[in-house]
Amino acid sequence: MGTELWIEKGWGDSVDQATFKDILVAINETIEMDDEHGAFWVGNMENEYVLEVSKNLDLHFIFGEEPGEVIKTRLSNWEEVKAYYVLYLNNDYTGIKNKINERL
């Protein structure tokens, strides 16, 4: 059985029915990119929540109705990025908002 997650990568690749393993691949691909503007997005097909991270560790959490609200922060390392995606996979959107707001 697949997941309801999708990944869209700034370089044009996408993954449907994404798993945490697919997110880890996207992280590694982003780290290895030569382009400093590399980024990828993970979204859920059932709701309007999207978590975006860029090569420079900027994290954007997009939520709500179109065009959506955005809160953002810059993380310190890729382990923090992984921790946010664990929250995302657990549908802990309030936890994501709280962690970002604590950093502001």
Side-chain angles (χ1 to χ4, degrees):
M1 183 161 118
T3 68
E4 295 297 319
L5 300 180
W6 53 264
I7 299 174
E8 184 69 33
K9 301 173 186 177
W11 50 97
D13 295 342
S14 63
V15 178
D16 291 330
Q17 298 183 348
T19 65
F20 190 65
K21 183 178 177 182
D22 295 313
I23 293 169
L24 294 177
V25 169
I27 288 171
N28 287 331
E29 289 174 341
T30 303
I31 291 169
E32 294 173 6
M33 287 187 73
D34 291 335
D35 182 0
E36 66 186 51
H37 302 291
F40 69 94
W41 301 259
V42 176
N44 187 312
M45 294 177 201
E46 293 182 2
N47 60 46
E48 300 295 324
Y49 299 112
V50 176
L51 197 58
E52 171 191 351
V53 69
S54 62
K55 184 169 177 75
N56 67 357
L57 297 171
D58 283 343
L59 182 94
H60 295 82
F61 183 52
I62 305 159
F63 56 96
E65 299 295 321
E66 280 293 323
E69 296 180 57
V70 179
I71 54 175
K72 58 186 173 179
T73 189
R74 178 166 288 174
L75 301 179
S76 302
N77 58 59
W78 290 99
E79 291 305 312
E80 285 184 308
V81 171
K82 292 175 189 176
Y84 276 91
Y85 280 109
V86 167
L87 291 173
Y88 189 88
L89 287 169
N90 288 323
N91 299 315
D92 188 359
Y93 307 119
T94 301
I96 292 170
K97 289 179 191 177
N98 290 342
K99 281 185 68 135
I100 292 172
N101 286 327
E102 288 171 6
R103 299 177 63 91
L104 301 177

